[in-house]
């Protein structure tokens, strides 16, 4: 067998070659045979790269066109949201869960010596003034840790008054004894001196109805007192949204709902009146079931599928919520390293009897006050480093709430 192969190879060598030339000829032929598989491999790789580029062209085009759209968000956040929208929510969720697991706070540790300064300088007014300003001023929020730090849980004015009393108050306090370095940021909104408004953002809610200014209207800024974030996107929360008789997304029974009436009343309740609000409702925004009802936490708070389609209920992240006290005043609160259960307890500690969760994650919670008439001197209550204090004074991607000084209309509550 070997001799026949040698004969065939020898027969393919030209007879006129010398022995040395024949050896060189055979060496060149061996080198050519060794290169052929390499050529094939390179060709296959080129074909694979071309096919991959063709397959990725739609995604590249989608990303480029999305990033080219106007937005109020940083590029990094927009990129993550784009990945979610392209079916990569599972990947983002897994990465976020890993990150928050690695960065979860440890129990105990050193105590804080002072609470962070929030708002402007005149927010830190003496506690003695508090007793003489208004009979309806809420009680001091008790700290979960004794002794309380100076000014902890003491409600302070944001610098504005309406009919002789401050319509919006703010405070900070420590909500959990096991985590002494966690700080909660809270705001109290007087129902008798304020009026609530809800504005669609550039992309939320997703309905194609008229979106309006997507910011605090310039003509209304003279009476602006505060702004704060709304709830989840419709893709994540499936909550209803209605403003001025327009239902952008249908209301769902059993969902926690913040409503305001044409007479100026506000309430937070579990919705049970069908997909379209009645004529009395000037705004309605839903976001998951109530987390606090009748002063008690919802017994289903351990059900992760009901609170947080992305991170669930037990991951400790920035969370925000809105509640209502026994007198019908709104209470906003936000804090880092919160579960749904601790957020409910935090709002209860601040005085809420019913409450619902709003948006979560570090980039979304915002509560901004305005110390002077118009929109001057904006100050962040929530220390959100990814959003400016001028947020909502230019078109924003998400829907949001604005708090205005109330005109002289009678108060009509919604029950």
């Amino acid at each position: 067998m070997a001799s026949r192969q040698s004969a065939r190879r020898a027969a393919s060598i030209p007879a006129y070659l010398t022995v040395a030339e024949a050896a060189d000829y055979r060496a060149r032929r061996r080198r050519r045979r060794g290169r052929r598989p390499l050529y094939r491999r390179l060709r296959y790789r080129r074909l694979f790269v071309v096919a991959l580029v063709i397959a990725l062209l739609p995604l590249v085009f989608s990303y480029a066109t999305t990033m080219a759209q106007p937005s109020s968000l940083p590029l990094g956040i927009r990129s993550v949201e784009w990945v979610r929208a392209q079916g990569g929510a599972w990947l983002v969720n897994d990465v976020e869960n890993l990150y928050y697991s690695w960065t979860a706070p440890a129990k105990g540790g050193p105590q804080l010596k002072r609470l962070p300064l929030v708002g402007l300088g005149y927010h830190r007014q003496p506690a003695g003034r508090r007793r003489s300003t208004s009979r309806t001023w809420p009680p001091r929020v008790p700290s979960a840790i004794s002794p309380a730090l100076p000014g902890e849980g003491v409600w302070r004015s944001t610098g504005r008054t309406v009919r002789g009393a401050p319509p919006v108050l703010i405070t900070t306090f420590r909500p959990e004894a096991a985590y002494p370095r966690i700080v909660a940021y809270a705001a109290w909104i007087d129902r008798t001196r304020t009026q609530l408004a809800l504005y669609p953002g550039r992309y939320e809610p997703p309905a194609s109805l008229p979106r309006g200014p997507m910011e605090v209207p310039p003509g209304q800024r003279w009476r602006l007192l505060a702004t704060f974030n709304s709830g989840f996107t419709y893709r994540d929360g499936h909550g209803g949204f209605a403003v001025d008789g327009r239902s952008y997304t249908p209301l769902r029974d059993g969902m926690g709902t913040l409503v305001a009436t044409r007479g100026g009343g506000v309430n937070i309740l579990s919705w049970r009146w069908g997909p379209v609000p009645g004529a009395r409702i000037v705004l309605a925004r839903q976001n998951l079931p109530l987390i606090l009802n009748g002063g008690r936490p919802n017994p289903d708070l351990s059900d992760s599928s009901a609170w947080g389609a992305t991170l669930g209920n037990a991951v400790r992240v920035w969370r925000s919520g809105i509640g209502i006290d026994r007198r019908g005043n709104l209470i906003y609160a936000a804090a880092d390293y919160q579960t749904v259960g601790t957020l409910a307890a935090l709002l209860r500690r601040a005085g809420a009897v019913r409450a619902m969760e709003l948006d979560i994650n570090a980039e979304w919670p915002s509560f901004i006050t305005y110390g002077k008439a118009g929109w001057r001197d904006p100050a962040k209550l929530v220390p959100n480093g990814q959003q400016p204090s001028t947020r909502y004074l230019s078109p924003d991607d998400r829907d949001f709430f604005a708090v205005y000084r109330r005109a002289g209309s009678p108060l009509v509550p919604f029950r």
Side-chain angles (χ1 to χ4, degrees):
M1 180 69 178
S3 61
R4 286 199 297 270
Q5 290 177 348
S6 298
R8 284 198 296 270
R9 286 197 293 270
S12 64
I13 298 174
Y16 58 82
L17 296 178
T18 65
V19 174
E21 291 173 337
D24 182 61
Y25 180 85
R26 284 194 293 268
R28 289 199 306 270
R29 202 163 60 177
R30 283 195 297 269
R31 287 195 296 269
R32 285 197 299 269
R33 283 198 298 268
R35 286 198 298 265
R36 284 172 188 168
L38 177 61
Y39 291 147
R40 293 193 186 97
R41 289 196 295 271
L42 291 176
R43 184 173 60 189
Y44 293 151
R45 288 175 184 174
R46 292 191 191 101
L47 291 174
F48 174 76
V49 170
V50 171
L52 181 63
V53 169
I54 293 174
L56 291 177
L57 275 177
L59 289 177
V60 172
F61 178 78
S62 171
Y63 179 80
T65 53
T66 301
M67 295 303 110
Q69 296 295 320
S71 176
S72 59
L73 299 176
L75 179 63
I77 299 177
R78 298 176 66 196
S79 299
V80 172
E81 293 301 303
W82 177 84
V83 171
R84 288 187 188 275
Q86 300 305 314
W90 62 272
L91 176 62
V92 175
N93 297 343
D94 288 348
V95 171
E96 285 183 337
N97 274 284
L98 285 173
Y99 172 78
Y100 290 126
S101 298
W102 291 335
T103 59
K107 290 185 177 181
Q111 299 281 342
L112 291 174
K113 295 182 179 180
R114 65 179 64 88
L115 291 171
L117 175 66
V118 294
L120 301 176
Y122 45 71
H123 292 172
R124 300 182 67 83
Q125 66 185 52
R129 182 182 168 187
R130 175 175 61 87
R131 299 187 184 91
S132 61
T133 302
S134 174
R135 293 181 181 178
T136 61
W137 203 299
R140 179 174 183 166
V141 180
S143 173
I145 302 173
S146 182
L149 295 173
E152 183 170 9
V154 176
W155 295 101
R156 302 182 183 277
S157 171
T158 61
R160 301 285 300 278
T161 61
V162 175
R163 299 200 300 274
V168 178
L169 306 173
I170 59 174
T171 192
T172 54
F173 59 94
R174 294 168 295 172
E176 295 183 76
Y179 298 90
R181 301 188 70 81
I182 293 178
V183 177
Y185 303 84
W188 176 87
I189 303 169
D190 189 340
R191 70 185 180 94
T192 65
R193 294 176 170 83
T194 61
Q195 181 180 353
L196 191 66
L198 173 63
Y199 294 103
R202 185 181 280 114
Y203 304 117
E204 287 295 328
S208 59
L209 290 171
R211 312 205 70 81
M214 300 173 292
E215 62 181 313
V216 178
Q220 297 294 325
R221 294 181 185 182
W222 65 273
R223 61 192 189 106
L224 181 64
L225 300 171
T227 50
F228 61 92
N229 63 279
S230 186
F232 288 6
T233 64
Y234 183 73
R235 182 181 67 246
D236 293 332
H238 304 290
F241 186 107
V243 178
D244 293 331
R246 294 192 180 104
S247 293
Y248 288 73
T249 54
L251 301 180
R252 297 172 57 194
D253 287 354
M255 295 281 276
T257 310
L258 172 56
V259 300
T261 64
R262 298 198 179 278
V266 293
N267 208 342
I268 294 173
L269 39 78
S270 182
W271 189 259
R272 54 183 175 86
W273 292 275
V276 180
R280 293 176 55 205
I281 303 298
V282 69
L283 66 86
R285 180 58 159 96
Q286 297 185 314
N287 198 57
L288 312 178
L290 292 178
I291 61 175
L292 191 68
N293 196 6
R296 298 179 180 178
N298 191 316
D300 296 326
L301 287 181
S302 59
D303 181 2
S304 63
S305 64
W307 283 276
T310 59
L311 290 179
N313 64 329
V315 177
R316 283 187 172 269
V317 297
W318 267 102
R319 295 182 189 263
S320 63
I322 189 74
I324 195 164
D325 67 13
R326 297 184 184 279
R327 295 173 179 247
N329 305 299
L330 292 177
I331 297 175
Y332 174 97
D336 198 1
Y337 303 122
Q338 297 298 297
T339 67
V340 173
T342 61
L343 178 65
L346 184 160
L347 282 159
R348 182 184 182 186
R349 180 177 293 275
V353 293
R354 291 185 302 281
M356 55 187 278
E357 186 177 47
L358 294 177
D359 218 343
I360 68 173
N361 287 332
E363 59 267 28
W364 304 123
S366 294
F367 193 100
I368 303 165
T369 62
Y370 306 88
K372 295 182 180 179
W375 47 270
R376 290 171 292 173
D377 290 338
K380 291 190 287 187
L381 168 64
V382 180
N384 185 337
Q386 301 185 51
Q387 300 287 357
S389 60
T390 54
R391 188 185 185 186
Y392 308 130
L393 299 179
S394 59
D396 197 81
D397 289 7
R398 300 288 186 94
D399 57 288
F400 67 95
F401 292 93
V403 181
Y404 296 112
R405 62 178 299 166
R406 176 191 290 279
S409 58
L411 180 68
V412 181
F414 179 82
R415 301 297 183 189

